[in-house]
Amino acid sequence: MKALISILAVFLVTITSCNQANVKETEQTISAAPIEITYHIEGMTCTDCENSIKKGVNELEGIVSVEASFEDSVAHLIYDQSKTNEKEIIAAIEKRGYSVVTD
């Protein structure tokens, strides 16, 4: 009887541990979903400005892609929200001397 209770206890602990690992893995997958965002940027006047913004933003961890257009005054980004955030992205753009217009 003691052996049966011990086996049952080990089984329950194993199931609980597996479920907790699956929950953590699911949370990481959900939080790692890429975010797409477009910023209106003031101060871009040429392709060098576009390249400067791309370079500055790409230095951040978690940037999937960044495209900038001085003609449209926008930057379109895709990033991993578990590795960076809008505040860091805006700071990287503004560090390059441009202004991000937020609503």
Side-chain angles (χ1 to χ4, degrees), residues 6-7 9 15 17 19 31 33 36 42-43 49 51-52 55-57 75 81 87 91 94-95 103:
S6 295
I7 292 171
I15 289 175
S17 297
N19 285 339
S31 68
E36 292 187 45
E42 293 181 343
C49 297
N51 293 332
S52 178
K55 182 178 178 182
V57 172
Q81 65 182 340
K87 186 176 179 178
E94 291 178 343
K95 182 179 176 182
D103 296 329

Side-chain angles (χ1 to χ4, degrees), residues 41-94:
I41 300 175
E42 293 181 343
M44 288 194 294
T45 58
C46 63
T47 56
D48 286 339
C49 297
E50 295 172 349
N51 293 332
S52 178
I53 288 173
K54 289 179 190 178
K55 182 178 178 182
V57 172
N58 274 320
E59 290 175 353
L60 298 172
E61 184 179 352
I63 299 298
V64 177
S65 72
V66 57
E67 292 298 324
S69 169
F70 80 91
E71 293 172 339
D72 298 327
S73 298
V74 297
H76 181 76
L77 298 98
I78 302 174
Y79 67 95
D80 181 339
Q81 65 182 340
S82 69
K83 296 181 181 177
T84 193
N85 58 53
E86 286 191 63
K87 186 176 179 178
E88 290 176 343
I89 293 168
I90 291 170
I93 294 169
E94 291 178 343

Side-chain angles (χ1 to χ4, degrees), residues 13-28:
V13 168
T14 303
I15 289 175
T16 303
S17 297
C18 289
N19 285 339
Q20 289 174 346
N22 288 339
V23 167
K24 287 181 182 178
E25 183 177 313
T26 301
E27 287 173 353
Q28 287 176 346

